[in-house]
Amino acid sequence: MSQSIAISEQSASPGTESRGAMRSLRACLQWSVIGSAVYAGCQWAILVVLAKLSSPESVGQFALGLAVTAPIMLFANLQLSGLQATDAKREFRFGHYLALRLVTTLLAVLVIAGVAFVSYPLMTALVVFTVGVAKAFEAISDAYHGLMQQHHRMERVARSQILKGTLSVIAVSAWLWFGGNILGAALALAAVWGLLMLAYDVRSTSLLRSDDQSATDPSFAPAFAWPKLGQLAWLALPLGTCAILVALSFNVPRYVVEQYLGVDQLGIFAALAYVSVVGQVLSNALGQAAAPRLAIYYAEGDMNAFRTLVFKLAGVGAVIGMGGVVLAWLAGRPLLMLLYRAEYAEQVNVFLGIMVGAALWCVATMFYYAATAARRQRSQAVAAALVVLTALTASLILVPRAGMIGAS
């Protein structure tokens, strides 16, 4: 009897553990969606504030800062937080991830400075460089976010994102409200991100006192073991390459708009394009939630279930995207008047074109998650390279001929 009881208890244990794991996964997903949504909304709110309280030229300078720094910082990040979060065997210590992030971030800031001060007028260059410094603080915070994710503390990551987004909007709004210029607003942004990194993200490590972590890396300090850092960099290089290609595909039209139409037109175009972030957040959240199930189906060889789920996801992505198109078609002008100003609302046709492109992206992103689940990294890299080439060719042909309609 006692033996049968022991067996039944042992057999019940995995189910209980599995249910606990599912609850933990569900909670992590909820916090991830909340944090990402709030942060993306706050980034959009910053553009709204800039459009309301400054000139299109200032919006364009800020948008150019984001467009220039994004590919450089994404490549420098090497998607290390994702590798770190999935490093179940602890092949590398947190100190290795942090040390490599510090090295690549410093190099990225130097590259941004070179690009900014060689390519643009002084004021624009200062704005671009300051945005780069803010992004550097964000990159270092991301290393600590990877550590939190590895320990299933996504609530800390989400709270950091919520704090950063909210305080950024307050700081930029206050600076511009009292008559400050765009450079001061960028400096306020960098100051908020730097202080939050030190006061919240770095201090979050004090919560982690698990035996395995405290035994391997009690100080959470950067570990500059160069052979180990070289191995980690080589492992992460393909992910960094894909990241920079994806960022370039989004930003190539913006570079061409700035070159042919000017920084003020770039400000309008970037503000219109940022409305589509709502669909992006929803599509990414859906893809992230379904990716583990897709991976299970693919690993088990259940291709019927795999394809069915992929096409269901694509259908939901199409609904999300078409919702944005319908909104732009029926209420584009009053929406842009509400969010921005009259000169933005005049570009309602550009806005509609952008939302059509965003709808296609909402569908395509589901196939991206399917390819990731199927471990098709090489095909993703090839596809991303083709997208960048297509975006560059189309932009160089269409923007000089059709202006922002061509860019959309």
Side-chain angles (χ1 to χ4, degrees):
M1 177 69 71
S2 61
Q3 195 174 27
S4 63
I5 292 174
I7 292 173
S8 64
E9 288 176 348
Q10 290 171 358
S11 62
S13 177
T16 304
E17 183 179 352
S18 176
R19 287 192 295 272
M22 286 302 295
R23 285 194 295 269
S24 176
L25 178 61
R26 191 178 301 114
C28 286
L29 175 61
Q30 291 171 349
W31 277 112
S32 178
V33 171
I34 292 170
S36 298
V38 172
Y39 183 63
C42 289
Q43 292 293 94
W44 182 13
I46 289 174
L47 280 181
V48 172
V49 168
L50 288 172
K52 292 284 190 181
L53 301 180
S54 63
S55 65
E57 181 181 6
S58 295
V59 180
Q61 289 174 326
F62 185 78
L64 185 63
L66 296 175
V68 169
T69 59
I72 297 171
M73 293 305 303
L74 277 173
F75 181 71
N77 287 350
L78 295 173
Q79 301 294 300
L80 286 176
S81 59
L83 280 179
Q84 180 182 347
T86 55
D87 189 1
K89 296 181 179 179
R90 301 297 195 270
E91 296 181 70
F92 301 92
R93 292 162 47 195
F94 169 68
H96 297 138
Y97 290 102
L98 180 58
L100 183 58
R101 177 60 59 88
L102 292 173
V103 171
T104 58
T105 300
L106 176 60
L107 292 175
V109 170
L110 294 176
V111 171
I112 290 169
V115 171
F117 290 103
V118 169
S119 305
Y120 304 106
L122 180 59
M123 180 55 69
T124 301
L126 287 171
V127 173
V128 171
F129 176 71
T130 305
V131 172
V133 173
K135 288 290 185 180
F137 290 135
E138 183 179 47
I140 298 171
S141 289
D142 186 58
Y144 291 95
H145 291 177
L147 180 65
M148 295 298 112
Q149 186 179 355
Q150 189 178 42
H151 287 265
H152 310 290
R153 298 301 301 266
M154 287 303 297
E155 79 281 3
R156 298 293 297 183
V157 178
R159 288 168 186 164
S160 176
Q161 291 175 314
I162 293 169
L163 281 172
K164 182 165 64 175
T166 305
L167 294 176
S168 298
V169 174
I170 294 172
V172 171
S173 301
W175 181 265
L176 294 176
W177 180 262
F178 290 105
N181 61 10
I182 187 61
L183 178 58
L187 286 170
L189 194 71
V192 167
W193 291 8
L195 289 173
L196 187 66
M197 178 197 73
L198 294 173
Y200 189 88
D201 295 323
V202 175
R203 292 184 63 187
S204 292
T205 57
S206 63
L207 298 174
L208 305 180
R209 291 290 179 254
S210 59
D211 293 338
D212 58 338
Q213 183 65 46
S214 60
T216 56
D217 196 1
S219 66
F220 300 103
F224 292 96
W226 297 108
K228 200 71 173 177
L229 297 188
Q231 295 174 18
L232 180 57
W234 182 253
L235 178 65
L237 186 60
L239 296 175
T241 302
C242 286
I244 192 173
L245 289 172
V246 171
L248 280 173
S249 68
F250 277 100
N251 287 305
V252 158
R254 302 184 187 196
Y255 303 145
V256 179
V257 167
E258 189 272 333
Q259 286 295 315
Y260 283 93
L261 306 180
V263 70
D264 56 333
Q265 293 296 295
L266 172 61
I268 295 174
F269 182 79
L272 300 180
Y274 214 86
V275 179
S276 65
V277 76
V278 177
Q280 295 174 16
V281 170
L282 292 175
S283 299
N284 272 320
L286 182 62
Q288 289 170 358
R293 177 57 55 187
L294 287 170
I296 291 172
Y297 287 150
Y298 192 85
E300 293 177 347
D302 191 350
M303 298 310 297
N304 286 332
F306 181 85
R307 294 190 189 98
T308 299
L309 182 53
V310 169
F311 284 111
K312 284 182 179 179
L313 291 170
V316 176
V319 171
I320 294 171
M322 288 307 299
V325 173
V326 171
L327 179 65
W329 183 35
L330 297 178
R333 189 179 297 276
L335 176 64
L336 295 176
M337 281 292 294
L338 175 65
L339 294 175
Y340 305 122
R341 294 199 306 230
E343 58 262 51
Y344 297 84
E346 292 173 0
Q347 303 293 340
V348 65
N349 290 334
V350 176
F351 179 53
L352 180 59
I354 289 172
M355 296 306 288
V356 170
L360 295 173
W361 185 92
C362 289
V363 177
T365 194
M366 302 307 174
F367 293 98
Y368 164 80
Y369 282 105
T372 301
R375 293 295 187 264
R376 300 297 179 90
Q377 285 91 342
R378 290 185 179 181
S379 62
Q380 289 183 69
V382 172
L386 290 174
V387 169
V388 172
L389 181 61
T390 303
L392 178 60
T393 304
S395 297
L396 291 174
I397 293 173
L398 295 174
V399 172
R401 297 182 181 184
M404 284 204 291
I405 287 288
S408 69

